[in-house]
Amino acid sequence: MTDDIEFDVDRRTVLGTLAGIGGTALAGCSALERERDGQTSQVDGERARELATKFAPTLYFDANEPWFPTDPRPYTSERDGETAVTGFDALNGYHERYSDGDPPKPTVFYNAVEYEDSPLAVVQFWFYSVFDQFTTNFHWHDWEVLHVFVDTETGEPQLYVASSHSRSVPNNEFLDPDPTMVPRILSELGSHSSTLSVNDVPDRFQRVAIEDLLADITNTAIEGIADLADLEIPLAYGLPRDEGSRLPYLVPEYEGVPIYEHKRLPAVSRESLIDDDLTVRSYDALTSPPTDLPTRETGLVFRHREREADADVEYDLVPSSEIEHIAAFTGPQLSFEFTVPDVVEDAVAGHITTTGTPWTQPRYGNPAADISVPNHRTELADRYDAIGEAAPINSVIARVTEAVTTDDAPENEGLTTTETTVESVILLESDPEAVPTFGGVAVVQDVPAGEHRLTVNGAGRAPHSEHVAVSDDRTPTAAGVGGEIPLVARDRATKLEIGGEKTATDLSTVAVEDDFAGRLYESSVDGNDAVYVHSGGAYTTEVRDSDDAIGAYRINPTPGAESAVRIERPETGKAQLATFVADIADETREEIAALSNDRDRDGGSSNAVEGLERALAAVVEAARRAAERARNSERDTANKQLTTVSERLQRVEQRLTEARSDLSEPLSNATQNRMAQADRRTEQARNAEKLSSDK
């Protein structure tokens, strides 16, 4: 991570997200194609209507949903000889018509194509909403789609593909659905990202099968994260708020005021947008992740008016050809309520304004372009010559967790990581492409091979940034450490800066380890680096230079301190590693000595505790001598002293065993963990070719 990352990076993160969520959601997933698909032609009117009527989905919406599928034609106007729908006209007109309590003109559009010389046809269901408000973006107008791939010889569905946020996130897909069941769509609040419901619980999303309850998707399992691999969790966006996660929504501005206060939107009020209980007015105003955000509850249910079933609202089914004369869905650039540099907003203006027309997208004529799961494409390719084989793809994957203090450590001297219930945003800045997490899992697909910078941010959390090297071997690349990226609540975050203007060492890698949680951060660097760490941890910061020489530094943040912790001139080599061993041993000795002094005042300290303190002092002495010899270019003498350090560390281990009954369990644990760290760094020092950074 570069050294200029501040809390305001989350504003760039939020804006960058729109490049992935606001714009590419309508671009289709054609990047996954390896072989060309066959040509398609329109299914004639009567047959198209039959297909659409047969598979017309039932739609389930969130109880807080403001914008339902509607017909954009009442909001059209003529501009330069073309028909367009402006954002102001659509949003204001929709809420004018919504005043009587019923969603205005419930409508679903359909488009049917068939692959030439093939029994494969596809009926698409397009859902238009006048606005999109989400946890990381918002824009005028919104189009979502469900593709139903149908074998025209058997009449049976082969594959459902429900559109998700971005081409970089797998869509929600189901292979070989039950031909007797009507497709069902669960719409995400505000964003309208669509997931599937195919089992016996119609209004809930089930990611994995449980007993007799079928999973709602057949996407392939997550790979690349060891502790998730055995669970066989399908890789798809799903419906996070229905899976127990929290999503904090944002409120858009236009011309310096919230859009509901704008004079061109007189019918739009604060109540027209997503409820206050679900929104945050600024990511960086929160000191910790919000914990009181409501989860999903089912609201209105829509069904096709020709279908006999219980529903709250009946929708019209209209061929999309009737609206293909609309040339554009327009709207001015929106802004966030918190301050964002103009240059950043302008860079992503195309992604925070509006969406395109479905009929100008590749997937409108070739629905197979939207198949995001390679195994599904391969299966269809085996059945139908018209579908090209899937191409292997590169993916970046990580599990976002939360770093918190642990009771196993002394107070504010150790961490653990826990699952998070508030979703985050992942920004691949080199693209730029950003996606929301689902269940704490972040996935970015179709990533070009090479170096990328990955930034993670969430409401009430300090940002995280690292460099990720993606190889071209088509296997998942795990970001973070072992696929895990722990975030820190803002009110417990301390910025650790490595390097400065006077840095002489050419750093290549930086890693940070906590005494209890282990390695939490590791990234290649280009010069200086910075990372936010939890103020309740005790850390070893490892640096490597361009020659792969190692250095290590002890970092103990002060809880509540506002200033950053800086390693001004990081060094590598034998002398620096020996110095680290002396520092960590002396830090531990001081804690043991403080305990011994307290015991003396209370009637005497045990011989075992005093013996442990003396053993640690002996390590400190030998390690400092080794560092001094290394700086004096006395390699052999330095190595002899390091051998002495190793022997004395073994003695510390013996003394710790003898003193455990007189120490608190957290202090015993800390001593053991630190001495394991000291032993590892001592071995590295003995093997180091470089004596010090200047020799």
Side-chain angles (χ1 to χ4, degrees), residues 149-279:
F149 291 76
V150 184
D151 189 300
T152 57
E153 293 180 349
T154 66
E156 295 185 352
Q158 305 297 300
L159 177 69
Y160 294 158
V161 176
S163 57
S164 185
H165 284 286
S166 162
R167 68 178 178 84
S168 293
V169 180
N171 288 324
N172 300 302
E173 304 181 8
F174 196 96
L175 185 69
D176 294 327
D178 183 349
T180 66
M181 182 174 288
V182 175
R184 297 189 297 254
I185 289 293
L186 307 180
S187 179
E188 183 173 48
L189 173 64
S191 80
H192 313 118
S193 173
S194 301
T195 193
L196 297 163
S197 171
V198 301
N199 60 29
D200 294 333
V201 182
D203 65 338
R204 313 299 296 186
F205 174 68
Q206 187 66 41
R207 186 176 293 271
V208 297
I210 299 177
E211 297 179 351
D212 296 331
L213 193 62
L214 191 68
D216 286 318
I217 51 176
T218 55
N219 295 44
T220 49
I222 295 172
E223 298 178 353
I225 301 179
D227 58 354
L228 295 180
D230 294 339
L231 301 179
E232 297 187 353
I233 298 175
L235 185 58
Y237 179 70
L239 194 60
R241 289 185 64 246
D242 202 37
E243 301 176 78
S245 296
R246 265 66 175 179
L247 290 170
Y249 285 73
L250 302 176
V251 176
E253 269 191 2
Y254 180 62
E255 294 185 337
V257 298
I259 60 167
Y260 54 82
E261 295 181 5
H262 198 274
K263 62 184 180 181
R264 292 183 62 184
L265 297 169
V268 178
S269 66
R270 176 64 190 88
E271 289 70 31
S272 303
L273 275 62
I274 290 175
D275 193 88
D276 271 331
D277 290 343
L278 287 155
T279 58

Side-chain angles (χ1 to χ4, degrees), residues 22 60 95 241 297 352 390 441 452 454 688:
Y60 292 80
H95 284 287
R241 289 185 64 246
E297 294 182 10
I352 55 176
V441 175
H452 300 266
L454 189 75

Side-chain angles (χ1 to χ4, degrees), residues 54 141 156 202 302 396 529 582 603:
K54 179 179 180 178
H141 317 290
E156 295 185 352
F302 283 43
V396 174
D529 194 22

Side-chain angles (χ1 to χ4, degrees), residues 51 139 223 350 359 406 542 558 584 627 649:
L51 279 174
H139 50 82
E223 298 178 353
W359 34 94
T406 176
E542 178 185 281
T558 301
I584 196 171
L649 283 170

